[in-house]
Amino acid sequence: MRQFDDYATLASNTQQSQLVQVIPPLQAIRRAAEDQLVPSCLKDLIGFQLLYMNTTIQTLLAFQSNAKADVTNAGIAQARQYHGQYTLELARLLGLTVVAPPSVTPGAQAPQSTILPRL
């Protein structure tokens, strides 16, 4: 997942015409994740991971094809939601609690979520 997130970040900072170089590695990482055998206790985690990966790739492909902004924005929002669900499931499996950052004023950069141990 970290490797996919690294490429997704790269893709978000890549010119539209150059996405053709970033999408294939994302697809390869997704295929490797799909092929990974996991115990049943990780099925939900992997499910959220694959939903996030598929949505991210589909959104990048749509953006590359000059999709309307509302389609791209909806894909980005959906991918973020799946990533959040993945993070929550991972925290649950590890016995950790996710602490949401405080609300941010417009124009300020949002802090990253923090995962804390459950007490």
Side-chain angles (χ1 to χ4, degrees):
M1 185 67 150
R2 288 189 320 243
Q3 187 179 19
F4 188 90
D5 282 341
D6 289 345
Y7 272 101
T9 299
L10 178 63
S12 70
N13 292 295
T14 300
Q15 292 180 359
Q16 184 180 19
S17 62
Q18 299 301 311
L19 284 174
V20 68
Q21 297 173 354
V22 180
I23 294 172
L26 288 167
Q27 292 169 321
I29 295 165
R30 191 237 4 246
R31 281 190 297 277
E34 285 175 327
D35 294 343
Q36 195 172 24
L37 298 176
V38 297
S40 61
C41 63
L42 297 179
K43 292 294 184 189
D44 287 342
L45 182 70
I46 298 303
F48 290 131
Q49 179 186 35
L50 294 175
L51 286 169
Y52 162 66
M53 290 177 171
N54 287 331
T55 304
T56 299
I57 292 167
Q58 290 168 359
T59 302
L60 288 170
L61 289 169
F63 177 69
Q64 186 181 19
S65 300
N66 295 315
K68 294 182 180 181
D70 60 331
V71 171
T72 303
N73 290 336
I76 292 168
Q78 185 67 61
R80 285 182 181 156
Q81 180 181 347
Y82 289 139
H83 194 282
Q85 290 173 298
Y86 170 88
T87 300
L88 290 174
E89 179 62 11
L90 179 60
R92 185 189 71 76
L93 290 166
L94 295 174
L96 304 172
T97 301
V98 176
V99 178
S103 60
V104 178
T105 57
Q109 188 174 7
Q112 297 294 321
S113 296
T114 304
I115 300 177
L116 301 174
R118 288 187 187 159
L119 300 177

